[in-house]
Structure formats: structure tokens, C-alpha cells
Amino acid sequence: MGDCVFCKIVSKEIPSEFLYEDQICVIFNDINPKAETHLLIVPKKHIPTIIDMEEGDEKIIGHLVSCAKKMGEKLNLPGYTLQINVGEKGGQEVFHVHVHMMANFA
Ligand code: 5GP
Ligand code: ZN
């Protein structure tokens, strides 16, 4: 947790521009976007991967999807891809759960 880049972003130890913030999550732009719109929806709680979810964490994960829906409306996106990479074998590089929200692929 101490070395987690997303924990540092959430705690503002690394300054970042949040497109959205509430008690449960923050949303910011991916540093290396793979689409015209590429946001990361990140829970404030450090959950390393979906595999590590504990009782009650489903509310947090559900909240991330609900925030994606709100962000889609705010940005007027007609459609988008939500992606969660799970574990090293699932292409996960940052071990703090996050939802990729991507739209308008180049
Ligand atoms: P993963 O492969 O773990 O699902 O995706 C991690 C994502 O986090 C990648 O798309 C990568 O570009 C992004 N990322 C890694 N480090 C940082 C960072 O310090 N700031 C931001 N904004 N994005 C990051
Ligand atoms: Zn973390």
C-alpha cells in the first residue's frame, strides 16, 4: 500500500487532476491513453485486485460502474468500454483495482 501509485494519487501525495471525486472513488485521465477518452475509475480503498475483494467490496465495485455511467452522461459519450484487468496474467500492471473507461478509439 505504501508504494502504491494509485494510493498516492488518491491521497494527493502525487498531484493529479480529478475529473470526479466522492467518498468512495476518484476519476482521472490515464497517463498513457489508449483511446481518445481514457479514464481510470479508482476506489479510495486499496484493493490490490478483483481476486482480493472482501465481503462488502462489491458495493465499491458497483459504485465504480455507476460513476462510469454518470461520467458517460457528463461527457455525452454514446458508448464506451469498461475494462478491469485482473492479475498479472490478466494484463494488470497497477495492483490497486481500477476500471478503465475508454471511448472514441483512434
Ligand atoms: P492496468 O494494466 O493495471 O489495468 O492499467 C494500469 C493503467 O494505469 C495503465 O493504463 C497506465 O497507463 C496507467 N498508469 C500507470 N501509472 C499511472 C500514473 O502514475 N498516473 C496515471 N494517470 N495513470 C497511470
Ligand atoms: Zn493502492
Side-chain angles (χ1 to χ4, degrees):
M1 218 181 294
D3 235 16
C4 170
V5 66
F6 285 179
C7 277
K8 286 180 181 164
I9 289 173
V10 161
S11 70
K12 303 183 170 97
E13 191 181 329
I14 298 175
S16 306
E17 195 186 324
F18 293 155
L19 285 80
Y20 175 83
E21 177 176 14
D22 64 21
Q23 284 186 321
I24 296 168
C25 73
V26 298
I27 302 181
F28 51 88
N29 284 304
D30 195 292
I31 203 170
N32 181 22
K34 290 164 191 76
E36 198 178 316
T37 298
H38 187 169
L39 313 179
L40 297 173
I41 309 175
V42 180
K44 290 188 168 174
K45 179 179 177 184
H46 180 87
I47 305 166
T49 83
I50 289 294
I51 297 162
D52 304 300
M53 277 176 71
E54 296 168 343
E55 189 83 34
D57 286 346
E58 67 279 0
K59 288 197 188 115
I60 295 174
I61 305 304
H63 183 80
L64 305 181
V65 174
S66 146
C67 285
K69 170 186 146 67
K70 280 186 208 151
M71 192 55 65
E73 288 162 0
K74 192 173 160 188
L75 299 177
N76 232 353
L77 297 174
Y80 42 85
T81 299
L82 298 180
Q83 182 174 322
I84 302 177
N85 296 327
V86 183
E88 207 177 322
K89 299 280 186 203
Q92 187 175 359
E93 289 175 2
V94 175
F95 284 78
H96 178 134
V97 161
H98 51 281
V99 177
H100 295 261
M101 180 171 185
M102 294 173 282
N104 302 324
F105 289 84

